[in-house]
Amino acid sequence: DTAVSQTPKYLVTQMGNDKSIKCEQNLGHDTMYWYKQDSKKFLKIMFSYNNKELIINETVPNRFSPKSPDKAHLNLHINSLELGDSAVYFCASSRITGAGNTIYFGEGSWLTVV
Amino acid sequence: ELKVEQNPLFLSMQEGKNYTIYCNYSTTSDRLYWYRQDPGKSLESLFVLLSNGAVKQEGRLMASLDTKARLSTLHITAAVHDLSATYFCAVDPTGTASKLTFGTGTRLQVTL
């Protein structure tokens, strides 16, 4: 079983559309994240949720709205997609307590806005 | 703002050679992570370094952390083609793994 799974893996859509990416983890972790990797491979955190509550929002445009229905799921909804939103979006999870917590990443969702 | 810089950004090396990737960061942090990413794939955790002087080894890779110098190294011994990938370091300033700041990545190409 995949520990952190995201769907869809590939998404091509037109500018102005609204799309969602879903993420689920079966590791029993209490913290989930969305990271964005741009075309230059630069990785940056977007959001972090702990037990369904938002704890980090890194100055992401409000067109991006994460939703966590329970601590095993963190979905990302994007409104009015722009060309610059094209990137790979990685979901991840970890335990927030304890030392040296490894963050486990999903397989990524390749978003292309045309 | 925390900055994490890696060098080199690109490294082409022959099989059997040794090399070191450097990761410098700009603010105090006791925790540092190394990840590997194959083309078109996810990030795989390699090492978690938790304190000053920490050293971890797995196969041909060895990572170390000097928190006073704000420097981590990833040393590759006798490189093999299978090590070709992009390597990222990531710093955890919160100490809770709730927010990693990633380095720029080092793309390693091991040639036969």
Side-chain angles (χ1 to χ4, degrees), chain B residues 11-95:
Chain B
L11 174 57
S12 180
M13 57 191 296
Q14 287 184 321
E15 276 202 333
K17 299 291 188 184
N18 304 333
Y19 209 84
T20 300
I21 299 171
Y22 296 89
C23 173
N24 289 92
Y25 53 98
S26 62
T27 194
T28 303
S29 176
D30 287 335
R31 298 180 185 200
L32 191 133
Y33 299 72
W34 282 96
Y35 282 88
R36 168 183 172 146
Q37 186 179 34
D38 290 300
K41 300 290 185 184
S42 184
L43 287 94
E44 174 192 351
S45 177
L46 294 175
F47 301 108
V48 181
L49 302 169
L50 296 178
S51 60
N52 187 39
V55 176
K56 290 197 173 179
Q57 182 161 6
E58 180 75 34
R60 300 174 189 274
L61 301 178
M62 183 173 73
S64 66
L65 178 61
D66 180 343
T67 58
K68 292 179 182 175
R70 298 178 185 171
L71 170 68
S72 180
T73 61
L74 181 66
H75 186 73
I76 303 152
T77 302
V80 292
H81 182 67
D82 285 351
L83 289 179
S84 297
T86 299
Y87 293 85
F88 291 94
C89 64
V91 175
D92 174 17
T94 69

Side-chain angles (χ1 to χ4, degrees), chain A residues 9 33 35 37 41-43 45 48 55-56 58 90 94-96 98-107 110, chain B residues 1 31 33 35 37-43 45 48 50 86 88 94-104:
Chain A
K9 181 160 185 172
Y33 316 82
Y35 280 82
Q37 187 172 43
K41 300 277 191 190
F42 185 64
L43 266 160
I45 190 166
S48 173
I55 54 173
I56 290 173
E58 285 291 301
F90 286 99
S94 72
R95 287 192 196 283
I96 200 165
N101 304 319
T102 298
I103 296 184
Y104 294 87
F105 284 81
E107 294 287 305
W110 269 252
Chain B
E1 182 189 342
R31 298 180 185 200
Y33 299 72
Y35 282 88
Q37 186 179 34
D38 290 300
K41 300 290 185 184
S42 184
L43 287 94
S45 177
V48 181
L50 296 178
T86 299
F88 291 94
T94 69
T96 61
S98 62
K99 178 182 172 181
L100 294 189
T101 300
F102 279 83
T104 44

Side-chain angles (χ1 to χ4, degrees), chain A residues 30-74:
Chain A
D30 48 19
T31 306
M32 295 185 72
Y33 316 82
W34 279 106
Y35 280 82
K36 178 180 178 180
Q37 187 172 43
D38 63 23
S39 57
K40 295 182 180 176
K41 300 277 191 190
F42 185 64
L43 266 160
K44 188 172 168 61
I45 190 166
M46 300 173 68
F47 301 103
S48 173
Y49 269 73
N50 178 248
N51 282 319
K52 304 192 298 175
E53 293 200 12
L54 179 67
I55 54 173
I56 290 173
N57 179 344
E58 285 291 301
T59 60
V60 177
N62 58 14
R63 296 182 296 103
F64 290 79
S65 52
K67 286 195 170 44
S68 182
D70 55 61
K71 70 177 190 177
H73 295 83
L74 180 62

Side-chain angles (χ1 to χ4, degrees), chain B residues 3-15:
Chain B
K3 291 193 187 310
V4 183
E5 294 182 344
Q6 290 179 232
N7 74 82
L9 297 182
F10 178 73
L11 174 57
S12 180
M13 57 191 296
Q14 287 184 321
E15 276 202 333

